[in-house]
DNA sequence: CATGAATTTTAAGTGAATCTTAAGGCGGCT
DNA sequence: AGCCGCCTTAAGATTCACTTAAAATTCATG
């Protein structure tokens, strides 16, 4: 689960990032309104935590702009403002929840879980350097640009990313991606690795998809 | 929109009922935990407003029982208890929000709207390039010209637009648009996509409704 | 109820995209 | 140097979606 924090006070941002990472979330931080908006547009997140008062754009502006672009990512405001008018304005702008500072981390955590809950199946996502693979929507991005992959290309990349850092033997790949369980001598894997590297523009210098001669392949970042 | 209030203090119950009815909601009231539970099970509601302290069963018990029966109706706790432990317990039990008394009616109203939003809030209009789909009036326009769609055509387009930018798998489409929950292989989706593209005059060059071979379709602009 | 029109679903032929096979070339390893 | 294994490309096989037409169902109407 990926969370973006948009918060300008470094102390609070650090505290949140650390706490959420300990809970197993992948956390990015943006320090200004425009930076947060750009980041949220660039990559898919599962949840946004947005401070109300921000340099550049207010949190309210960020929220409005995202919703205007049909971005329905759950968004929780995190703020010292606690007048009723502000709460209402925030929720009307399309926010999903609103927590007043000072807050207890436990409560924030639970409210985050509530927002992620209705998303149903956990949207499985894997990353490899600049590459993001979303299993549920069958989409792949490199540097925030969407890359169109065919079924087999996607399945192969998914298998390598699920085993990131581990060397995958050719035999395992054939069994898991092609579902062939007898000995089989073929060049399909080579052909597909070639297609993947081409589409993802991975050069020989990159080490994202390495060949292990005589064994198989590894994905590492 | 139907709301059930479970609250034992007659004054508060009456105040809420009147306020919500003025906003156009259909409101029922139950005064005890067991009565509320029975009422919620007997009829479908769009939202439950539940007091924490109730005679018979606590609000927490009511919430737990409903969730245990796979009832996912949005539920908001309404309570004087304001310790962090209680908030967390409430959210963990499956509640969607938690408002502390005393609260402003305006804030409650907005939080109710947030919960109802995904099921039909204010943003009932979707756009895709020159195409506009209005859910509430069941109308579709392209370049300000109205296009007549049948029910299934409309439902399919609505589903794709609600998930704009995300790839929709054939399986998800069959489940959400046709409400078929077992495996089913058929060509209906193809036929309807064809009809949609024809009526909306979408050519192969347009990328509004793209096919993802082997997976499904995406709407993008 | 019976009829006809509109909508929804099934079915089949066609064509294009994807998958697989195969072969030549290149580079590392012994 | 020579072998083996990987890369690359292109052509054949196959799968899947598009398209059309006809059958089944639903809906409104007399």
């Amino acid at each position: 689960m990926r969370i973006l924090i948009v918060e300008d006070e470094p102390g609070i941002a650090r505290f949140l990032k650390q706490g959420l990472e300990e809970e197993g979330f992948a956390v990015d931080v943006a320090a200004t309104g425009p930076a947060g908006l750009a980041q949220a547009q660039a990559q898919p997140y599962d949840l946004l935590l947005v401070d109300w008062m921000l340099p550049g754009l207010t949190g309210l502006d960020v929220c409005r702009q995202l919703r205007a672009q049909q971005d329905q990512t759950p968004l929780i405001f995190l703020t010292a403002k606690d007048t009723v008018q502000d709460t209402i304005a925030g929720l009307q702008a399309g926010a999903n929840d609103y927590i007043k500072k000072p807050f207890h981390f436990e409560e924030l955590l639970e409210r985050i879980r509530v927002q992620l809950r209705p998303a149903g199946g956990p949207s499985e996502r894997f990353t490899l350097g600049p590459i993001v693979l979303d299993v549920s929507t069958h989409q792949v991005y490199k540097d925030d640009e969407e890359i169109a992959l065919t079924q087999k290309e996607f399945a192969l990349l998914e298998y390598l990313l699920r085993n990131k850092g581990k060397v995958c033997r050719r035999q395992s790949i054939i069994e898991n991606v092609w579902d062939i369980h007898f000995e089989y001598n073929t060049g399909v894997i080579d052909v597909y690795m070639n297609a993947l590297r081409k589409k993802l523009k991975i050069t020989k210098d990159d080490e994202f998809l390495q060949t292990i001669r005589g064994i198989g392949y590894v994905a590492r970042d």
Side-chain angles (χ1 to χ4, degrees), chain A residues 6-91:
Chain A
V6 188
E7 164 69 74
D8 60 326
E9 288 182 58
I12 296 182
R14 203 164 43 236
F15 161 70
L16 288 173
K17 181 173 159 75
Q18 187 183 340
L20 291 173
E21 284 179 342
E22 280 172 11
E23 291 294 325
F25 295 103
V27 182
D28 289 342
V29 176
T32 69
L37 186 60
Q39 185 70 13
Q41 289 166 335
Q43 290 191 39
Y45 287 94
D46 297 296
L47 187 121
L48 309 175
L49 268 184
V50 181
D51 189 26
W52 186 271
M53 298 295 290
L54 286 167
L57 287 167
T58 68
L60 197 58
D61 295 326
V62 172
C63 178
R64 285 209 189 100
Q65 291 216 24
L66 288 172
R67 293 297 185 250
Q69 292 159 20
Q70 301 295 324
D71 184 328
Q72 297 300 322
T73 310
L75 188 151
I76 299 179
F77 273 122
L78 203 61
T79 170
K81 288 190 98 89
D82 68 342
T83 69
V84 179
Q85 274 69 26
D86 290 330
T87 309
I88 293 172
L91 296 174

Side-chain angles (χ1 to χ4, degrees), chain A residues 3-168:
Chain A
I3 296 180
L4 174 65
I5 299 173
V6 188
E7 164 69 74
D8 60 326
E9 288 182 58
I12 296 182
R14 203 164 43 236
F15 161 70
L16 288 173
K17 181 173 159 75
Q18 187 183 340
L20 291 173
E21 284 179 342
E22 280 172 11
E23 291 294 325
F25 295 103
V27 182
D28 289 342
V29 176
T32 69
L37 186 60
Q39 185 70 13
Q41 289 166 335
Q43 290 191 39
Y45 287 94
D46 297 296
L47 187 121
L48 309 175
L49 268 184
V50 181
D51 189 26
W52 186 271
M53 298 295 290
L54 286 167
L57 287 167
T58 68
L60 197 58
D61 295 326
V62 172
C63 178
R64 285 209 189 100
Q65 291 216 24
L66 288 172
R67 293 297 185 250
Q69 292 159 20
Q70 301 295 324
D71 184 328
Q72 297 300 322
T73 310
L75 188 151
I76 299 179
F77 273 122
L78 203 61
T79 170
K81 288 190 98 89
D82 68 342
T83 69
V84 179
Q85 274 69 26
D86 290 330
T87 309
I88 293 172
L91 296 174
Q92 275 182 344
N96 300 75
D97 207 342
Y98 192 106
I99 300 184
K100 302 177 181 85
K101 298 178 189 172
F103 53 85
H104 291 260
F105 185 72
E106 292 297 316
E107 179 176 351
L108 171 62
L109 202 54
E110 216 40 63
R111 286 188 180 269
I112 288 174
R113 295 226 167 91
V114 169
Q115 293 307 326
L116 296 179
R117 190 196 299 154
S123 91
E124 274 191 295
R125 225 176 252 156
F126 299 94
T127 62
L128 176 71
I131 298 160
V132 180
L133 178 146
D134 188 319
V135 178
S136 54
T137 69
H138 201 271
Q139 282 169 313
V140 175
Y141 301 86
K142 179 176 182 188
D143 293 328
D144 311 327
E145 178 193 358
E146 189 171 347
I147 311 271
L149 296 187
T150 69
Q151 278 195 88
K152 278 275 141 66
E153 288 163 358
F154 189 92
L156 174 58
L157 182 60
E158 178 184 344
Y159 182 70
L160 291 172
L161 291 194
R162 277 186 192 277
N163 298 312
K164 186 157 72 170
K166 289 183 205 158
V167 175
C168 302

